[in-house]
Amino acid sequence: MDHQRDRVPLSEIVGRDALARQAWQMLAEKSIVLTAERRMGKTYLLYKLQGEAAVQQQNWVQGWLCLYQDLSGCSSPLEFVQSVFDTAQELLGLRRKAAEETRRFLSRFQELKVGPIQLPKSAIPEWKGILRSIFADLSTQLPDDRVVFLWDEFPVMLDKITEQEGGERIAGEILNLLHTLRAEYPRVRMILTGSVGLHHILNKLRQSGFNNPVNNDMDVLSVTPFEPEIAIDFARSQLESKAIPCQDLAATAKIIAQEVDNIPFYINGLVKRFRYHPQDRPLTIDVDIIRQEVRALLVDADNTWHMAHYLDRIKNYYGDIDSELVRLILDTIAAEEQAIATKDIIKIIQNTSQSPIPDQTIRDLLKLLEQDHYLTKDSIDLKYRFRYSLIRRYWQCQRG
Ligand SMILES: Nc1ncnc2c1ncn2[C@@H]1O[C@H](COP(=O)(O)OP(=O)(O)OP(=O)(O)O)[C@@H](O)[C@H]1O
Ligand SMILES: [Mg+2]
């Protein structure tokens, strides 16, 4: 399909079969909030879904029509609606259909020509009506298909909107309207994802009094690291394709995958590191050298691994009052070799801190840190540890 251009082809997307299957199953019932730590592979999963849907279409298998959009460039409801409209029109055009209802709606305040339409400023107050008509068009014009919007960087867009005058109200209105549209047009679904957690935007809106349960009708799907075998295969193929000399390819691939918690972005980064330093490249790559390289990358001042956000965003996510406490909690957990129980964390924090801190404050922050993928809580012994050892090591490198 045409909007496949510029995207990563299916052949370059490794693994994720189980996740994609799960996404399709969930979509049959509901829309999805796709969550994960940064750089985990959310966008790649969206590309995979889009690629799989396109293959089905080519084979005349009835399935989903995917509309991928990167919304990071949108900072107003009109820009959002324009982008949705352009994408929807392109899809309808491919099916020799037109966005009739939307065009009718727009003709009220604009003379329409054939082809793309630039929404005028006068359409700003009507953005809700326009979005509603687009959903209506997709539903009525494509009665035999199901459509799913893949909205990447949706929270970034909302965040940009909230930063403007009266923006929090508008962001709330977008969320409300999408909630309504999901109920009214069940054959049009959406996957919301992005590099910022949606729950942070919702928390921010909650602080300004917006309390509607706007995503209680959606399922949550988490993108996790690769399964170990897939990570090892991936590391191996990266080593091979970049012609990195290893004495024992299989063993090297295994250690690389392990050392970066089976996360494809870091596997890629580590292998590249061996490639881009040919003059100091060791002849045999062993565990020590791999660990040394990981460490070098973790302390890397120019932030090759895009990990600075684990430190930088704390102030933004948790606010001035809680940031110091959050850092203290993470320092405490990073210092422990083993997972640690809530009551022990509370004890250490209360002993370390100068001012009294209520238990509940610490418990609430632990919960948020879990949602933000810093921590994970064991479902049996209920102890906390860093979700990824790589992030723990990063934290130690930066704060130790
Ligand atoms: N399934 C995959 N197959 C191959 N490479 C992958 C896969 N998933 C992720 N990667 C690698 O990791 C990088 C980051 O993935 P991606 O952009 O999908 O992450 P993201 O979760 O969307 O990140 P962000 O939160 O920054 O938007 C990709 O550019 C790619 O190099
Ligand atoms: Mg992304």
Side-chain angles (χ1 to χ4, degrees):
M1 195 177 287
D2 208 17
H3 21 274
Q4 192 71 17
R5 64 175 180 244
D6 300 330
R7 310 269 177 256
V8 178
L10 212 41
S11 58
E12 284 176 30
I13 302 168
V14 174
R16 303 307 194 197
D17 291 325
L19 261 182
R21 215 175 310 125
Q22 215 178 333
W24 295 126
Q25 279 166 2
M26 282 179 164
L27 281 176
E29 307 288 326
K30 285 175 178 187
S31 287
I32 297 176
V33 178
L34 186 67
T35 68
E37 199 30 78
R38 284 219 57 194
R39 312 268 71 206
M40 194 58 77
K42 298 173 291 291
T43 300
Y44 263 52
L45 181 66
L46 296 185
Y47 291 159
K48 181 171 173 95
L49 296 176
Q50 192 187 30
E52 287 186 350
V55 170
Q56 286 193 329
Q57 295 294 322
Q58 278 154 15
N59 296 331
W60 299 95
V61 178
Q62 214 171 45
W64 290 88
L65 295 171
C66 290
L67 298 174
Y68 175 89
Q69 285 172 263
D70 177 347
L71 298 174
S72 60
C74 298
S75 49
S76 71
L78 196 69
E79 283 170 8
F80 170 51
V81 171
Q82 175 84 59
S83 164
V84 176
F85 184 42
D86 293 344
T87 318
Q89 281 222 108
E90 189 182 342
L91 173 71
L92 289 167
L94 288 170
R95 293 302 184 91
R96 305 196 187 294
K97 306 274 181 176
E100 282 172 13
E101 180 150 344
T102 315
R103 295 179 76 90
R104 204 163 32 242
F105 188 88
L106 290 173
S107 66
R108 286 202 253 149
F109 40 70
Q110 177 179 20
E111 203 179 314
L112 294 187
K113 297 187 221 75
V114 187
I117 296 172
Q118 184 67 40
L119 300 173
K121 282 219 167 60
S122 57
I124 293 174
E126 302 295 337
W127 65 269
K128 289 182 195 166
I130 304 171
L131 194 60
R132 191 181 282 277
S133 338
I134 300 169
F135 272 64
D137 276 324
L138 289 171
S139 251
T140 51
Q141 299 287 326
L142 303 168
D144 302 323
D145 294 291
R146 287 176 301 172
V147 176
V148 55
F149 284 107
L150 309 179
W151 278 336
D152 207 354
E153 302 298 11
F154 177 77
V156 167
M157 173 183 81
L158 287 187
D159 203 28
K160 282 189 177 176
I161 293 174
T162 59
E163 276 159 18
Q164 297 158 21
E165 176 88 31
E168 279 157 352
R169 183 183 46 79
I170 295 173
E173 285 175 4
I174 293 180
L175 288 162
N176 278 341
L177 179 60
L178 293 179
H179 188 257
T180 310
L181 293 176
R182 287 193 297 272
E184 281 176 17
Y185 299 98
R187 279 190 309 100
V188 181
R189 300 254 195 249
M190 56 193 77
I191 300 186
L192 305 182
T193 193
S195 48
V196 176
L198 185 60
H199 60 281
H200 274 287
I201 311 296
L202 294 176
N203 281 347
K204 205 164 156 184
L205 296 183
R206 224 166 274 137
Q207 279 160 21
S208 61
F210 176 84
N211 260 319
N212 293 4
V214 280
N215 57 350
N216 60 354
D217 61 327
M218 302 178 84
D219 262 334
V220 176
L221 180 63
S222 295
V223 182
T224 47
F226 277 166
E227 295 86 348
E229 321 78 69
I230 292 185
I232 295 169
D233 277 354
F234 183 61
R236 192 188 169 115
S237 67
Q238 295 288 308
L239 286 165
E240 278 176 332
S241 70
K242 296 186 171 63
I244 313 283
C246 318
Q247 229 169 31
D248 184 341
L249 184 62
T252 309
K254 189 168 175 187
I255 298 161
I256 289 180
Q258 266 171 5
E259 283 299 306
V260 295
D261 294 331
N262 303 321
I263 301 171
F265 176 68
Y266 301 113
I267 294 177
N268 234 331
L270 197 50
V271 173
K272 266 195 211 139
R273 175 104 178 168
F274 291 121
R275 172 139 175 91
Y276 291 143
H277 293 276
Q279 59 280 45
D280 7 285
R281 189 161 71 202
L283 277 178
T284 46
I285 298 171
D286 59 16
V287 188
D288 289 337
I289 288 161
I290 294 169
R291 291 209 172 125
Q292 224 170 297
E293 287 296 320
V294 173
R295 218 180 144 74
L297 278 161
L298 291 178
V299 292
D300 183 0
D302 61 18
N303 191 25
T304 330
W305 272 9
H306 306 197
M307 292 184 98
H309 63 272
Y310 286 108
L311 276 168
D312 299 345
R313 70 183 180 185
I314 285 187
K315 194 158 173 212
N316 193 6
Y317 271 24
Y318 298 91
D320 286 337
I321 301 167
D322 289 332
S323 302
E324 208 33 59
L325 185 52
V326 162
R327 288 188 204 101
L328 192 59
I329 293 175
L330 291 173
D331 288 344
T332 306
I333 299 173
E336 299 289 321
E337 279 310 318
Q338 308 294 329
I340 166 167
T342 307
K343 66 173 176 16
D344 295 327
I345 299 171
I346 293 175
K347 210 185 301 162
I348 298 173
I349 301 284
Q350 289 176 339
N351 287 341
T352 322
S353 172
Q354 317 277 332
S355 44
I357 302 169
D359 288 16
Q360 195 54 46
T361 306
I362 301 173
R363 286 178 194 280
D364 291 346
L365 289 175
L366 283 167
K367 191 94 223 123
L368 276 176
L369 283 164
E370 213 184 322
Q371 267 182 36
D372 287 332
H373 307 108
Y374 283 89
L375 302 179
T376 174
K377 190 179 188 180
D378 189 278
S379 57
I380 296 167
D381 65 15
L382 307 179
K383 289 182 176 177
Y384 279 102
R385 61 179 166 77
F386 270 72
R387 181 188 280 229
Y388 302 113
S389 75
L390 189 70
I391 297 169
R392 173 175 172 240
R393 278 174 279 153
Y394 171 75
W395 193 265
Q396 287 174 318
C397 282
Q398 299 293 323
R399 305 262 305 166

